[in-house]
Amino acid sequence: MTMSLKPNAQLWTVLEQIVRDDASGLICQFEVAPDGSPRLRLFGEALPFGNREIVFSLDGKEAGAGTHTGLCRPAWLTALD
């Protein structure tokens, strides 16, 4: 499935972070892969077919999606004192 772009789409920046949406029970993880491509990972019980990952190209266009088999614990997340 391919998403359509807005006619005058603009780039926007999202920092790497984890956002928990308590209303839906979903956890959204925004991360940049080692190759520089941005990724959005969705985790939660509300996803009947498993956790999802959406990959974007370096110019911000959707480049692929699939099931994410890893844990919702990125390597850059560290414990707080």
Side-chain angles (χ1 to χ4, degrees), residues 10 15-17 57 62 72 74 81:
Q10 298 179 21
L15 294 177
E16 290 184 307
Q17 61 186 301
S57 66
E62 187 264 337
C72 180
D81 293 333

Side-chain angles (χ1 to χ4, degrees), residues 8-30:
N8 295 315
Q10 298 179 21
L11 288 176
W12 60 294
T13 302
V14 177
L15 294 177
E16 290 184 307
Q17 61 186 301
I18 294 176
V19 178
R20 181 185 190 115
D21 178 36
D22 291 330
S24 68
L26 289 177
I27 296 171
C28 303
Q29 177 184 336
F30 299 91

Side-chain angles (χ1 to χ4, degrees), residues 8-69:
N8 295 315
Q10 298 179 21
L11 288 176
W12 60 294
T13 302
V14 177
L15 294 177
E16 290 184 307
Q17 61 186 301
I18 294 176
V19 178
R20 181 185 190 115
D21 178 36
D22 291 330
S24 68
L26 289 177
I27 296 171
C28 303
Q29 177 184 336
F30 299 91
E31 189 172 25
V32 177
D35 69 357
S37 62
R39 306 203 174 206
L40 168 61
R41 295 184 180 127
L42 303 171
F43 302 88
E45 297 294 322
L47 300 169
F49 303 110
N51 300 325
R52 305 294 297 157
E53 179 175 50
I54 303 170
V55 180
F56 296 89
S57 66
L58 295 177
D59 61 349
K61 295 177 184 172
E62 187 264 337
T67 302
H68 180 69
T69 57

